[in-house]
Amino acid sequence: MKHLFLLALLILCSAGYAQQPYVLVLGTAQDGGYPHIGCEQSCCEQAWDDVTKRKFVVSLALVDPGQKKWWLFEATPDIKEQLRLFASKTNHEFNFLPDGIFITHAHIGHYTGLMQLGKEALNSKNVPVYALPKLRLFFNVHGPWSQLVQTKNIRLQELNEEFPLTLTAGVIVTPFKVPHRDEYSETAGFKIITPQKRYLFIPDIDKWAKFEKDIVKEVRAVDVAFLDATFLSGDELSNRNISEVPHPLVSETMELFKNESNDTRSKIHFIHFNHTNPLLYDVGVRKKLMDQGFNITEQALRY
Ligand SMILES: [Zn+2]
Ligand SMILES: [Zn+2]
Ligand SMILES: [Zn+2]
């Protein structure tokens, strides 16, 4: 009898846990994806040959099973496959399209997937798209994005830096400004708060020194921090000066956290890998990084 009671309790607890909001990673590569257009170097060779080694462009799904809702972060060139990946990983228990799409900035890997929602493809109805003011203006003014707005395939939603947006009870998204090459729009990072976990999402940023927040403090304050890992080190760029590369090298980020506790370092999950970054494919390099307590974000995993 006692055993039965314990079993019932266990089932109830795990059912409750299954209802908790979580983040599902739908892509980890830099804007150009992996393998990369035109690359016949050793970095991409194996991914051309073996489709299971391919990685989609950086994207997250925020899922609230209790409310049967979900939100997509970034509309990437791989959105077709990513929506399928989401449906299969969640046993088709949610709507095919998300309850909203959050976009960080107007570089091709982060927003051009919206085109699949237009007349020529899905012809969706009023999908909410959350963007900061300059990015909203970009969508409103420039075709083909303005056509998505006019034909009501998407509905632009107001988003302002440092203004928290409550999605469902206890699930809150707060955008903040991030320094980056801002040709067409500003660039956002997102803090995602759920009743159990806090997440930070900064897929693209110039050097940490230009960031108005202290990244070490920001990481300490969350459970999981998905951070820009475009390049591991200067070795990947034989023809460019490291100081001119508008990304924090993974090696620089690791240096910044070297005196932090193992607990803090383990909160960092690197993401947004350029095809040249050996963290995508080199087992030895990956192990060396993980031995120091850091993590590498994996596509199709829950966090
Ligand atoms: Zn990017
Ligand atoms: Zn390559
Ligand atoms: Zn960018």
Side-chain angles (χ1 to χ4, degrees), residues 28-46:
T28 59
Q30 177 268 4
D31 299 46
Y34 178 69
H36 197 268
I37 182 168
C39 183
E40 291 183 26
Q41 306 293 312
S42 58
C43 48
C44 292
E45 205 173 36
Q46 48 189 327

Side-chain angles (χ1 to χ4, degrees), residues 31 57-59 72-79 82 101-117 129-131 135 138-139 142-146 148 154 156 183-186 204:
D31 299 46
V57 177
V58 64
S59 175
L72 182 66
F73 284 73
E74 312 292 34
T76 87
D78 295 321
I79 193 169
Q82 288 169 319
I101 303 177
F102 289 82
I103 295 180
T104 55
H105 67 301
H107 283 164
I108 65 153
H110 303 262
Y111 78 98
T112 56
L114 289 177
M115 68 187 181
Q116 295 285 349
L117 302 181
V129 171
Y130 296 88
L135 183 53
F138 172 76
F139 289 145
H142 300 284
W145 323 111
S146 52
L148 298 175
I154 64 172
L156 293 176
E183 295 100 335
Y184 295 113
S185 73
E186 66 281 85
D204 253 308

Side-chain angles (χ1 to χ4, degrees), residues 168-222:
T168 50
V171 178
I172 301 160
V173 172
T174 308
F176 52 85
K177 271 268 209 40
V178 160
H180 189 46
R181 291 184 295 119
D182 295 340
E183 295 100 335
Y184 295 113
S185 73
E186 66 281 85
T187 299
F190 292 105
K191 186 177 244 178
I192 302 166
I193 296 176
T194 71
Q196 274 68 39
K197 298 256 183 248
R198 291 163 171 256
Y199 307 84
L200 199 61
F201 180 48
I202 308 180
D204 253 308
I205 186 169
D206 286 6
K207 300 295 184 192
W208 292 122
K210 291 197 208 162
F211 190 28
E212 56 191 32
K213 295 172 192 274
D214 177 345
I215 188 60
V216 176
K217 280 188 192 155
E218 294 299 313
V219 169
R220 278 190 208 134
V222 298

